[in-house]
Amino acid sequence: MNVEDGRLKNGRQVFAAVLMMGAAAISGAQGTAASPPPAPGATKPAEPAAGRTPLKLQTLDQETRADPFPPVNPKFFTATTPTVATVDAYLKALLGYDANRIWRVEGIQTTEAPGVNRVIVYVSDRSANAKVQTAVFFVTPDGKHAIADQSVTPFGEKPFAEKRAKLMEKANGPYVGAASKDLELVEFADLQCPHCKDAQATMKRLAEDFPKARIVYESFPLVDIHPYAFKAAAYGACVAKKSNDAFFAYAEAVYATQGALTEDAGDATLKAAVTKAGADPSAIAACAATDATKAEVEGSSKLAAELGVNETPTLMVNGRPMPLGIPYETLKSIIVYQAGLDGVAAAAVSPEGHGLVGK
């Protein structure tokens, strides 16, 4: 099978979606993988590297389905890194929240680019007649990033650990919930963004379902398309100095009157939101105009850029980037699963600790 086969191109696109959100449903994708991948440039079968014995299929219920994947062939493993174990751990971090998902690493190959290696994975699910999808991505020479289609994401056994650490250090915006950062949900949002406004219903549900999580708001004003976003964020930074509750009252008021953030009515709209939050509009306006406040908002935007956030709203679940437009129950399952991977105690996930998996 040539890497330009339509099935592989489709696989790249599908897997790119997985990488972008860290969890995309691959089942039902078109195309099947009827033969193992090629080993470009290989003139003879390659022996598996020491400690890199290809893993077997994830446990499959024999009552529902026979093994849908071709057996692993050592000749399709021409690269020594990453190891199959590392790829499997990476896939488990991305896909393991769905107990129905199955996969097998079918090849890890060198490419013409020095140090850049290609990984080929077959993905399916346990249901009868489920399609088998070929997914292809590339791993950078330092082993820290995966590239699929137009997406670049962290790679490794714990792909989100570095981002989690950065958020624990730098995500200091207003928050609801726990003081502990064991389970930290960080929302990057823009107060003039319509999609962010729509996402607030989801954020409120998360606060109700995960009362022991720390849910943080970080400003990410998209100034190129939302002319009042930066000023709204600056006002919010000043209101937050009064209290977390005041900030969220302010944000709710801004979202409710978002359509009035215009050249003629924008300032009055923000000041009205400040009043609803119980703060002094004149004092907040003066605070928002200071260099210190502007630097604070710019710092939040810089944090978003450092984390690879490029759209609003984006939710980071212990460093794992998630769009807020996916089905709520899927989002909730991923949060519980990620908490389990990070060793978060069940009591810190919900009052009863229901559903904590992946530890």
Side-chain angles (χ1 to χ4, degrees), residues 31 53 90 94 152 161 168 185-186 209 259 307-308 315 318 334 338 358:
T53 303
Y90 170 68
L94 265 62
V152 180
M168 292 178 78
L185 313 183
V186 181
D209 288 341
L307 294 166
L315 182 68
N318 275 8
I334 293 170
Q338 188 62 45

Side-chain angles (χ1 to χ4, degrees), residues 124-332:
S124 187
D125 63 53
R126 303 178 195 279
S127 59
N129 302 317
K131 298 291 185 180
V132 175
Q133 179 66 57
T134 306
V136 178
F137 62 93
F138 298 84
V139 177
T140 55
D142 61 5
K144 292 185 177 181
H145 292 87
I147 303 171
D149 199 38
Q150 299 182 43
S151 298
V152 180
T153 64
F155 176 80
E157 294 182 4
K158 296 183 177 181
F160 311 114
E162 186 174 326
K163 290 188 177 184
R164 183 190 184 196
K166 182 168 290 189
L167 285 165
M168 292 178 78
E169 176 187 359
K170 296 185 176 181
N172 297 313
Y175 71 92
V176 297
S180 168
K181 296 184 177 182
D182 287 345
L183 178 57
E184 188 175 41
L185 313 183
V186 181
E187 178 196 14
F188 285 90
D190 172 335
L191 290 169
Q192 200 177 356
C193 160
H195 296 296
C196 297
K197 175 182 177 179
D198 294 341
Q200 295 316 296
T202 296
M203 295 307 300
K204 288 180 180 179
R205 289 185 69 183
L206 290 176
E208 293 171 356
D209 288 341
F210 296 94
K212 297 187 180 181
R214 181 186 180 97
I215 302 179
V216 183
Y217 179 95
E218 286 291 333
S219 292
F220 186 24
L222 304 180
V223 295
D224 291 337
I225 57 175
H226 298 145
Y228 257 86
F230 192 94
K231 181 176 281 190
Y235 272 51
C238 293
V239 172
K241 292 176 174 33
K242 180 177 176 65
S243 72
N244 286 328
D245 289 345
F247 169 80
F248 287 106
Y250 163 79
E252 184 175 6
V254 173
Y255 282 131
T257 55
Q258 195 178 66
L261 292 177
T262 63
E263 185 176 354
D264 294 335
D267 286 354
T269 300
L270 293 180
K271 289 179 179 179
V274 169
T275 299
K276 287 186 177 181
D280 177 8
S282 297
I284 295 300
C287 170
T290 65
D291 290 341
T293 299
K294 292 176 182 177
E296 183 178 342
V297 175
E298 289 166 354
S300 184
S301 294
K302 181 180 179 181
L303 176 61
E306 290 174 354
L307 294 166
V309 176
N310 55 20
E311 63 181 31
T312 58
T314 292
L315 182 68
M316 306 289 284
V317 179
N318 275 8
R320 177 185 189 134
M322 298 295 304
L324 281 165
I326 65 173
Y328 182 75
E329 290 304 319
T330 299
L331 176 60
K332 188 175 175 181

Side-chain angles (χ1 to χ4, degrees), residues 335-337 339-341 344-347 349 353-359:
I335 293 171
V336 172
Y337 182 74
L341 289 179
V344 178
V349 178
H354 290 327
L356 185 56
V357 295
K359 292 185 69 175

